[in-house]
Amino acid sequence: MIALLPTGLALGSAYALLALGYTLAFGVLRRVDLAYGATILAGLYAALWLRREAGIGSASVAPAMLAVTAVAGVLVDRLCFAHRAGRPATTAMATGFALWMVLQEGATLLLPGHSQPVPPLFGVADGLMMDDWLPAGMRSAHLVALAAAAIAAAALWGLLHRTRPGLAMRALIDNPAAAVCAGLPVTRLSLLAVVISGLMGGLAGGLIAGIDGQVGPMFAMTATLKGLAAAILGGLGSLPGALAGGLILGLAETVFHSQLGPQGRALSASLLLLGVLALRPAGLASLWGGGGAAEV
Amino acid sequence: MDQLLLSLLTNGGLLSFLALSAWLLLRAGAVSFGQQGFFAVGAYAGGMGTVMAGLALAPALALAALAGAVAGGVLALLTRRLRGVGFAVASLAAAEALRVGLELFRWRVPGPDGRPVGPDGVGGFGGIRYLYATGYTAADMALLVVGVLALVLVALAALSRTRWGLALRMAGEDPVLATALGVAPRRARFAATVASGAVAALGGALFAHYATYVEPDNFAIMQGLHGLFYALIGGVATPLGPLVGVAFDLGLMEGGRLFQGYRMIAFGVAVSVLLTVRPCGLLDERMVRRLRAAGRRARPTLFPRPRSTGPAAGNTESVP
């Protein structure tokens, strides 16, 4: 079981990024975006298409993936959630799902087929032959995930705790009413949050797809579900909670996979999510009195 | 009768069960992304009833509905403390967990001819041939589905007029006001979840006997979403709302051969636009009132009312 730790943590760190993007969007915008996984799928497929059809090099494709995910996220936000007056949150969620359908079919039209092979970091690390000296079960994709997630999380922390926009965002997450009264530019901050959340999601998607080695249209739903599971486990709106939730999900998945096979992996996210909602909907953050902003 | 029409009727009817189950919860003010889970429970329970327990159709359908109700009860218990968003997410998680669980569920018994029958995990559950073995044709199938659907519709319409039905609607429309008036929204949602489970499961059992083979992939999120969208599009005011939604989608599918590879996109865009423009659906309360009033005006009466306006003059059109 201990041998599973490194791979579980690697997967978990990718999920942590996913959850961070989710929880940031929720904390600032106060809504659950069910099209999140679909925007990530759009970014991934766009990147794969660019690499395969347009022959663009691996190194340039990753920024394209991040950009497409961010743009798709902004579009979804404008379409679903911007005109929220008078509409219940759950209808907005349903509209998010409708957009998920659109994005998923769009992706399938771009690259038809059940699944597409994905090299880790789109082939940038191909020549390095890292697999030989990694512990058993670990591949270069896992190492890439750990490193990239650590860097991204650190960058996010730096943004939030060392810059003025970051301070403003934290204030907005903490107390939206007070933030408005203090004259914070809520619309601009919301846009920033959507963009950052999209970038994190795109990166997370690339890392997860790299670990899996392939991606299919169903990735949209599984990414959404796992992001939700990790974010809610940690406490929606809590950034440290999202980190913890993601790592726990990654470990749980790896353990379930070793016991029950691939179905076990798929089962772990849903069961974890259901369990958290049934037993402690406010998530882990409520245990340490953290910045959870959940109203689940 | 035209084969295409029969298959449209049957498929539309089956989808209507799913849509009606989502509708029940919408009336109680809850959105569920997990109705496909109850559909699956009914399909497997009903199938196991006829194939493995040798039940006739009616007992098998009853068993399926009961199983669906129990599943609804379980979900309701697990989610009793959750509000709208949490409930929606929990229903999604539960349905997905169930679906993956079915991929691991194997219960094989020797069949009548010695070969094993029963659910076989990822391999699905085949051989649900009870109806066709007793001589059902496509027309009989359509009639069965439409018949059971009609019964469910009548039951739901009747229930909507009882105190319980009104309480449900109140709880869904304005939980705070409902609580102030003595209606418990949580209990209303609980009851609606159990009932919606039964309705969806009934449809699932019929689906299993129509298709003769079901597998976990049949009960993916897309199925439940479609049901929810039909109910959202059609409107919450009347049980006919979800049927309008089904007709809308089938019209899009059949009438829109031009949407060949873009059906999801077309449907998704249509739903987004409709939900933005008419968030309460096509047949919301105001529309239903207007239609009823138009119906009353169109019907010839033996003793026509005097032509004046206002409630004092006997004009009842302002009464909801």
Side-chain angles (χ1 to χ4, degrees), chain A residues 125 139 274:
Chain A
R139 288 174 281 119
L274 195 56

Side-chain angles (χ1 to χ4, degrees), chain B:
Chain B
M1 215 181 172
D2 185 27
Q3 284 295 358
L4 180 64
L5 186 61
L6 284 176
S7 116
L8 261 179
L9 272 174
T10 316
N11 281 309
L14 292 170
L15 287 170
S16 299
F17 281 96
L18 206 52
L20 279 169
S21 78
W23 176 85
L24 264 168
L25 276 166
L26 280 176
R27 262 178 97 78
V31 168
S32 160
F33 296 125
Q35 298 310 98
Q36 67 276 16
F38 301 130
F39 203 65
V41 165
Y44 273 69
M48 289 197 288
T50 53
V51 170
M52 291 157 76
L55 295 174
L57 181 68
L61 290 180
L63 175 69
L66 185 65
V70 167
V74 169
L75 180 67
L77 272 173
L78 288 173
T79 58
R80 64 188 180 286
R81 288 185 300 167
L82 296 172
R83 280 187 244 176
V85 168
F87 179 80
V89 172
S91 65
L92 178 65
E96 261 303 281
L98 181 81
R99 187 187 66 79
V100 180
L102 283 174
E103 284 181 7
L104 297 166
F105 177 51
R106 235 175 242 105
W107 189 5
R108 309 283 276 165
V109 297
D113 54 356
R115 278 182 298 171
V117 290
D120 193 16
V122 186
F125 181 7
I128 312 174
R129 305 198 57 82
Y130 176 80
L131 289 179
Y132 297 112
T134 47
Y136 264 62
T137 61
D140 294 325
M141 205 71 219
L143 200 62
L144 173 69
V145 170
V146 170
V148 178
L149 182 65
L151 285 173
V152 171
L153 279 172
V154 165
L156 287 177
L159 273 173
S160 302
R161 301 206 185 168
T162 63
R163 284 182 62 114
W164 181 84
L166 284 172
L168 193 80
R169 188 72 189 102
M170 283 165 67
E173 184 65 37
D174 193 333
V176 176
L177 188 56
T179 316
L181 292 170
V183 173
R186 287 235 178 99
R187 226 179 288 163
R189 193 177 79 185
F190 196 109
T193 313
V194 171
S196 80
V199 169
L202 197 55
L206 286 168
F207 165 67
H209 286 87
Y210 171 59
T212 74
Y213 168 77
V214 291
E215 55 178 3
D217 269 346
N218 287 136
F219 310 107
I221 295 174
M222 198 61 96
Q223 279 290 89
L225 265 188
H226 273 80
L228 175 68
F229 285 150
Y230 299 149
L232 280 171
I233 294 173
V236 161
T238 142
L240 295 174
L243 300 189
V244 166
V246 172
F248 175 81
D249 188 30
L250 288 185
L252 202 72
M253 209 164 60
E254 292 310 312
R257 291 290 158 130
L258 44 133
F259 290 129
Q260 218 20 290
Y262 305 82
R263 210 184 86 62
M264 286 298 147
I265 293 182
F267 189 57
V269 168
V271 170
S272 308
V273 166
L274 258 157
L275 285 184
T276 312
V277 165
R278 272 186 85 84
C280 291
L282 288 168
L283 286 181
D284 60 356
E285 254 100 9
R286 206 179 295 170
M287 179 59 74
V288 170
R289 227 183 302 156
R290 237 183 269 162
L291 288 171
R292 279 212 191 112
R296 269 198 297 268
R297 276 197 296 270
R299 234 180 302 134
T301 51
L302 280 177
F303 305 102
R305 282 206 176 86
R307 300 275 314 159
S308 32
T309 53
N315 183 330
T316 55
E317 282 175 33
S318 56
V319 174

Side-chain angles (χ1 to χ4, degrees), chain A residues 97 100 105 221 263 279 296, chain B residues 81 83 103 262 264-265:
Chain A
F97 253 144
W100 162 64
E105 181 151 84
M221 178 40 59
Q263 279 87 17
L279 297 170
V296 264
Chain B
R81 288 185 300 167
R83 280 187 244 176
E103 284 181 7
Y262 305 82
M264 286 298 147
I265 293 182

Side-chain angles (χ1 to χ4, degrees), chain A:
Chain A
M1 200 69 80
I2 300 293
L4 296 171
L5 202 63
T7 42
L9 282 177
L11 192 62
S13 57
Y15 289 155
L17 281 187
L18 198 62
L20 278 171
Y22 227 111
T23 226
L24 184 67
F26 179 84
V28 173
L29 298 154
R30 290 284 189 278
R31 46 68 161 176
V32 177
D33 178 10
L34 288 172
Y36 192 50
T39 59
I40 299 175
L41 182 77
L44 270 172
Y45 267 51
L48 286 171
W49 183 85
L50 282 172
R51 189 164 177 264
R52 187 197 300 180
E53 305 294 328
I56 298 190
S58 303
S60 335
V61 143
M65 170 178 73
L66 299 181
V68 171
T69 311
V71 167
V74 172
L75 280 174
V76 166
D77 182 61
R78 292 294 115 191
L79 284 170
C80 283
F81 303 103
H83 311 290
R84 238 206 320 167
R87 238 202 303 166
T90 38
T91 313
M93 284 174 78
T95 318
F97 253 144
L99 287 173
W100 162 64
M101 286 167 63
V102 172
L103 284 168
Q104 183 167 309
E105 181 151 84
T108 325
L109 289 170
L110 192 65
L111 286 176
H114 243 356
S115 72
Q116 314 291 328
V118 175
L121 253 205
F122 299 92
V124 169
D126 265 348
L128 286 177
M129 299 290 281
M130 282 191 273
D131 294 357
D132 304 331
W133 48 267
L134 287 170
M138 253 189 119
R139 288 174 281 119
S140 56
H142 291 111
L143 205 63
V144 165
L146 278 169
I151 295 173
L156 183 66
W157 189 92
L159 174 72
L160 288 174
H161 289 263
R162 291 280 183 268
T163 68
R164 284 191 72 85
L167 180 64
M169 263 201 286
R170 276 187 295 133
L172 190 51
I173 294 176
D174 210 25
N175 194 329
V180 169
C181 290
L184 291 181
V186 176
T187 326
R188 242 183 291 157
L189 287 172
S190 307
L191 188 63
L192 183 62
V194 172
V195 167
I196 295 178
S197 150
L199 292 173
M200 304 284 282
L203 181 61
L207 295 174
I208 298 171
I211 292 179
D212 285 345
Q214 59 171 4
V215 65
M218 286 314 293
F219 183 77
M221 178 40 59
T222 56
T224 302
L225 209 57
K226 291 179 188 184
L228 257 179
I232 290 183
L233 173 60
L236 265 183
S238 158
L239 293 153
L243 262 174
L247 289 172
I248 293 176
L249 179 64
L251 285 168
E253 263 198 23
T254 317
V255 169
F256 268 64
H257 192 150
S258 70
Q259 303 298 312
L260 289 172
Q263 279 87 17
R265 212 181 135 185
L267 208 52
S268 51
S270 323
L271 283 180
L272 208 59
L273 184 51
L274 195 56
V276 172
L277 285 171
L279 297 170
R280 201 173 187 96
L284 291 171
S286 64
L287 291 174
W288 63 69
E295 293 175 348
V296 264

